[in-house]
Amino acid sequence: MVWKKLGSGNFSDCPNGSRRWIWDVFGECAQDGWDEASVGLGLISIVCFAASTFPQYIKACRTGNMDQALSLWFLLGWIGGDSCNLIGSFLADQLPLQTYTAVYYVLADLVMLSLYFHYKFKKRPSLLSTPINSVLLFILGMACAAPLLRTTGPVAARREVFRGRTLLSVEPGSKPFTQQEIIGFVIGSVSSVLYLLSRLPQIRTNFLRKSTQGVSYSLFALVMLGNTLYGLSVLLKNPEVGESEGSYLLHHLPWLVGSLGVLLLDTVISIQFLIYRDTATSSERQPLLPS
């Protein structure tokens, strides 16, 4: 467990730390109950995000119309945002735990994208099916091998800020942005924009179909819960010593805007589920009716 070695010998840098295991595992100095709650909510948000795709996998296998129910641009925007987190975890030299979690998110997105093309080409065979499947398999293999490519040399002990799905966070400070902070801020902003833009095509697809059949509401419900917990984990975290709350919020602005913005758009999708629930129910019962 490499991440234990990063902080285990430097707990003295956290004089008011209340939980040694938080420092050992996440490199986070939890100074009081608010910081402990922030880490706990961040952990729960990761579980929500990690579990969100499984209901959609099951729904896709049951209905077989994933290519019609989900927008391709929604899936591409989602995987784009997660890919930015994965790239950022390498550029900012994040803790291995954060990198492995980012790899998992990308793998889960690739599985969902593979299911989309599977059902699309199953109904409408195309000459592009083989090249697309080959590209997806290549990307899948690269994502699996990514953790093995990390630098294995000695790494200077440091503290990292633990966060939820948006894994690329940088240590805030009242001083001007460092190069690492600029990298994190830019990639975090791009990731947030991709997450936000991904919802618009799905909202449009639901509106044009006048139905949410084939889409699992649990997917969006768990993501909404994860974003809510993530936002709370950021807001509950105490600023660093000598840092104002305004400076702290400025350094975390892209991730807060992304999480709260996605939460708002997912609320719109939730309203669509309520509006079109009768249509979805009748469509699911249609095969049972006599011809």
Side-chain angles (χ1 to χ4, degrees):
M1 296 176 68
V2 181
W3 56 88
K4 278 196 171 184
K5 298 179 181 178
L6 294 177
S8 58
N10 299 278
F11 191 58
S12 58
D13 295 338
C14 182
N16 299 322
S18 56
R19 289 292 184 270
R20 175 63 180 262
W21 70 269
I22 295 179
W23 175 273
D24 289 342
V25 178
F26 305 115
E28 173 79 5
C29 182
Q31 301 184 31
D32 54 22
W34 293 108
D35 286 346
E36 292 176 14
S38 174
V39 173
L41 291 176
L43 279 173
I44 299 174
S45 70
I46 280 185
V47 174
C48 292
F49 289 128
S52 63
T53 53
F54 286 99
Q56 187 58 52
Y57 297 157
I58 298 173
K59 191 80 169 182
C61 295
R62 287 180 177 177
T63 61
N65 68 339
M66 186 172 176
D67 59 312
Q68 300 176 10
L70 292 180
S71 168
L72 177 60
W73 293 108
F74 164 67
L75 297 177
L76 292 178
W78 202 344
I79 194 174
D82 287 340
S83 297
C84 284
N85 284 327
L86 179 59
I87 295 172
S89 68
F90 284 98
L91 293 179
D93 198 18
Q94 294 281 286
L95 293 174
L97 178 63
Q98 295 172 302
T99 302
Y100 296 149
T101 310
V103 169
Y104 170 81
Y105 291 147
V106 174
L107 292 178
D109 296 341
L110 287 173
V111 171
M112 190 173 295
L113 196 61
S114 300
L115 285 173
Y116 176 90
F117 285 113
H118 168 72
Y119 288 109
K120 184 177 184 65
F121 293 132
K122 183 178 180 181
K123 298 175 183 178
R124 295 179 294 276
S126 171
L127 296 176
L128 296 176
S129 59
T130 300
I132 289 179
N133 290 332
S134 300
V135 171
L136 289 176
L137 286 175
F138 174 77
I139 298 175
L140 187 65
M142 291 298 295
C144 292
L148 303 178
L149 302 178
R150 290 184 62 92
T151 302
T152 56
V155 182
R158 67 194 186 282
R159 286 161 48 191
E160 296 286 350
V161 179
F162 174 76
R163 293 292 171 246
R165 186 178 183 91
T166 303
L167 299 169
L168 181 62
S169 296
V170 292
E171 187 169 356
S174 55
K175 61 183 183 302
F177 280 93
T178 64
Q179 182 178 2
Q180 180 180 344
E181 289 175 330
I182 293 175
I183 293 175
F185 198 91
V186 171
I187 295 182
S189 300
V190 173
S191 177
S192 297
V193 170
L194 289 174
Y195 285 138
L196 286 170
L197 294 179
S198 69
R199 271 19 183 214
L200 299 179
Q202 186 59 44
I203 293 174
R204 180 177 180 272
T205 297
N206 293 340
F207 176 76
L208 294 178
R209 295 175 65 226
K210 296 294 188 293
S211 173
T212 55
Q213 184 195 13
V215 183
S216 173
Y217 179 66
S218 298
L219 168 68
F220 295 96
L222 287 171
V223 170
M224 290 174 66
L225 179 59
N227 277 316
T228 301
L229 295 176
Y230 166 72
L232 289 175
S233 73
V234 174
L235 296 177
L236 289 178
K237 179 74 173 66
N238 289 314
E240 298 296 318
V241 177
E243 179 189 21
S244 65
E245 293 184 359
S247 176
Y248 172 79
L249 291 177
L250 176 63
H251 281 75
H252 292 80
L253 189 61
W255 300 280
L256 282 174
V257 171
S259 292
L260 298 179
V262 169
L263 181 62
L264 177 61
L265 293 178
D266 283 345
T267 302
V268 175
I269 294 179
S270 298
I271 295 175
Q272 289 183 320
F273 270 91
L274 290 175
I275 296 175
Y276 303 136
R277 65 182 184 276
D278 294 334
T279 304
T281 302
S282 61
S283 300
E284 291 174 355
R285 293 178 178 176
Q286 187 68 26
L288 302 178
L289 298 176
S291 56

